Amino acid sequence: MKFYPLKFKPILKERLWGGTKLKDTFGKPSTSAITGESWELSTVKGDVSVVANGELANTSLQELIEKYPEELLGKSVVERFGTEFPILIKFIDAKQDLSIQLHPNDELAQERHNSFGKTEMWYIMDADPGAELIVGFNKDVSKEEYSKSLENDTLLDLLNYEKVKEGDTFFINTGKIHAIGAGVLLAEIQQTSDVTYRVFDFNRKDKDGNLRELHTELALDAIDYKNKDDFKVEYPKGMNSVNSMVDCPYFKTNFLDLDKDLKFETKNRDSFTIYMCVDGEALIENEFGKVSLEKGETTLLPAITEEIAIKTTGVKLLEVTI
């Protein structure tokens, strides 16, 4: 089997808060005015990615993993996660504010939903002037104080707001209350999980006039009520080098800002490699083939890859491994 760099058909998701930037900026094949997410790499049940390029076109990612687990994922990844792809890769366009939410940790998610928890990171690709994120509380809060704020409709007074610009990066631990604000376009890397506890949705109604479901009781034991300044990722931005951004038990992410070609060995990596193009364009090659990558596109290089070459005159990439 030739394990060339794989591109996948985007899985587009309509969201109440979505817009048209995924189509307008990245050329995603959307026909909706409220496309909020493009799932780039997924094996979430019902939303499994399908190969878009080369001789494996129209084959599902899950099918490939089950047929070639170690070649695709890496031996150590298979030992940890079996034949489930361990991360979910997305681009997100927030035309409106997202709901205020949080994600349970692995233990709670396993107990309640037979799922992994959801640790995630965001890389800001574009932000309208004044755009913000909500990340955590602005002070230590008790469970009682939090519950009272929901009753009194004063939760927003307890939350921490962060102005954002292109290149800003945030790491969102499980339990941390958060929301993406209106006018933000970002790349998201997360554990494979779709378990979200929504706690406030600005009293919005969906297209059928219904309020969206809240998960008030489930969230109470999942929230981290402490004010922690542990979410903004400061990372080196050296040109033509591999800059470490996030290194956590669930994924490792590096930042590459290149204005010339780069080549390096990966035969000892024992993990797949993902590239998300956040600006510019490049040709990504391994010993089995090559693929072009433009802003808003993603490629997966199987773990069996021994050498990667990136050919470019200008590109910014997020490199993701386990």
Side-chain angles (χ1 to χ4, degrees):
M1 176 60 65
K2 291 184 177 180
F3 289 100
Y4 56 91
L6 300 169
K7 288 170 85 168
F8 293 84
K9 299 175 184 179
I11 300 168
L12 301 178
K13 297 284 187 178
E14 282 194 346
R15 297 290 188 245
L16 192 63
W17 40 262
T20 61
K21 286 182 181 177
L22 295 174
K23 177 184 179 182
D24 298 342
T25 306
F26 301 154
K28 301 295 180 186
S30 166
T31 56
S32 168
I34 54 167
T35 301
E37 302 183 5
S38 176
W39 290 22
E40 299 288 297
L41 274 173
S42 167
T43 56
V44 173
K45 191 173 182 182
D47 288 300
V48 178
S49 296
V50 173
V51 178
N53 66 318
E55 62 188 75
L56 294 173
N58 300 316
T59 309
S60 81
L61 177 55
Q62 190 64 58
E63 186 181 334
L64 287 175
I65 291 171
E66 287 171 5
K67 201 167 182 181
Y68 309 104
E70 291 187 6
E71 294 92 334
L72 197 68
L73 300 182
K75 189 171 187 288
S76 62
V77 177
V78 173
E79 286 171 355
R80 283 183 65 194
F81 299 101
T83 56
E84 180 167 9
F85 196 67
I87 53 180
L88 176 56
I89 300 290
K90 303 176 182 176
F91 292 111
I92 294 178
D93 168 26
K95 185 177 181 180
Q96 300 180 34
D97 295 328
L98 271 70
S99 62
I100 296 167
Q101 57 188 242
L102 61 131
H103 310 295
N105 62 28
D106 285 346
E107 290 73 27
L108 268 180
Q110 187 64 42
E111 178 186 324
R112 293 175 175 176
H113 312 286
N114 192 31
S115 171
F116 287 113
K118 189 174 171 183
T119 297
E120 60 190 355
M121 69 164 279
W122 299 329
Y123 175 89
I124 309 301
M125 296 180 66
D126 188 39
D128 293 347
E132 297 178 313
L133 304 177
I134 289 171
V135 194
F137 293 102
N138 56 30
K139 63 174 184 175
D140 288 352
V141 175
S142 68
K143 188 184 289 189
E144 293 70 31
E145 189 177 3
Y146 165 78
S147 296
K148 193 161 188 176
S149 77
L150 290 181
E151 292 171 19
N152 299 337
D153 206 16
T154 57
L155 174 63
L156 298 181
D157 296 338
L158 299 178
L159 301 178
N160 174 57
Y161 294 81
E162 295 280 331
K163 289 268 197 300
V164 295
K165 64 184 185 306
E166 180 189 346
D168 287 349
T169 300
F170 294 83
F171 182 71
I172 311 297
N173 287 307
T174 55
K176 190 176 294 295
I177 201 162
H178 62 273
I180 301 170
V184 175
L185 180 68
L186 60 77
E188 179 177 275
I189 298 153
Q190 60 157 96
Q191 285 176 271
T192 289
S193 169
D194 212 23
V195 179
T196 295
Y197 293 163
R198 189 184 299 123
V199 298
F200 183 67
D201 195 30
F202 305 96
N203 303 313
R204 287 182 294 202
K205 295 181 179 179
D206 64 19
K207 61 186 178 183
D208 299 317
N210 301 313
L211 293 169
R212 292 201 294 172
E213 181 185 5
L214 299 179
H215 308 95
T216 308
E217 292 302 317
L218 284 172
L220 287 175
D221 293 331
I223 293 175
D224 182 350
Y225 294 98
K226 298 291 185 183
N227 171 24
K228 295 178 182 174
D229 186 15
D230 62 352
F231 45 81
K232 187 78 179 282
V233 178
E234 300 296 338
Y235 62 98
K237 300 179 177 69
M239 286 295 297
N240 302 309
S241 57
V242 178
N243 303 286
S244 178
M245 302 176 89
V246 168
D247 188 346
C248 75
Y250 307 107
F251 52 81
K252 298 179 178 69
T253 305
N254 298 315
F255 178 70
L256 283 68
D257 187 356
L258 310 178
D259 61 9
K260 61 182 182 181
D261 298 350
L262 185 68
K263 184 184 286 190
F264 47 92
E265 286 190 355
T266 56
K267 60 185 176 185
N268 296 320
R269 182 167 278 180
D270 197 24
S271 165
F272 56 84
T273 302
I274 296 165
Y275 288 108
M276 302 181 79
C277 184
V278 294
D279 201 13
E281 57 185 354
L283 195 67
I284 312 288
E285 295 187 20
N286 69 1
E287 55 269 38
F288 303 104
K290 58 191 174 184
V291 70
S292 62
L293 208 60
E294 298 180 356
K295 185 176 181 179
E297 293 187 326
T298 304
T299 187
L300 170 69
L301 282 78
I304 199 172
T305 296
E306 294 192 353
E307 185 177 77
I308 295 173
I310 303 171
K311 297 184 176 180
T312 186
T313 55
V315 73
K316 292 179 181 178
L317 300 168
L318 303 182
E319 179 187 74
V320 187
T321 62
I322 293 290

